[in-house]
Amino acid sequence: MDEAPAWTLDQAVGLVFGALLLLLYLSSTQVDKFVARQQRRQLGLCEECGGLYDPATCQQQGCPSRRQ
């Protein structure tokens, strides 16, 4: 029975790097949503709609746009 050759360091690092890129790609939408929410909060906009909709129709409780 043949044995599989041992992994070399560059193969192991390449595999880890590829897995990291895949993880970053799959989590990019969550990171984008988090950053957008933080920016809206810092600007004083509604975290859900960002001030795009009429304040009366915003479903977010405590929407800063409603108070204006």
Side-chain angles (χ1 to χ4, degrees):
M1 184 177 236
D2 293 331
E3 285 188 30
W7 288 73
T8 62
L9 182 61
D10 62 334
Q11 289 173 331
V13 170
L15 187 63
V16 169
F17 184 71
L20 181 63
L21 286 177
L22 182 63
L23 177 69
L24 288 173
Y25 174 74
L26 294 175
S27 67
S28 63
T29 56
Q30 286 82 13
V31 171
D32 183 50
K33 287 178 186 177
F34 175 76
V35 170
R37 220 174 253 273
Q38 295 302 318
Q39 287 176 338
R40 289 177 186 158
R41 181 180 295 149
Q42 190 175 28
L43 292 172
L45 299 172
C46 176
E47 293 179 22
E48 290 297 318
C49 70
L52 294 176
Y53 300 110
D54 182 36
T57 62
C58 183
Q59 300 298 319
Q60 179 75 12
Q61 279 188 335
C63 178
S65 300
R66 273 193 218 163
R67 288 181 260 160
Q68 295 174 353

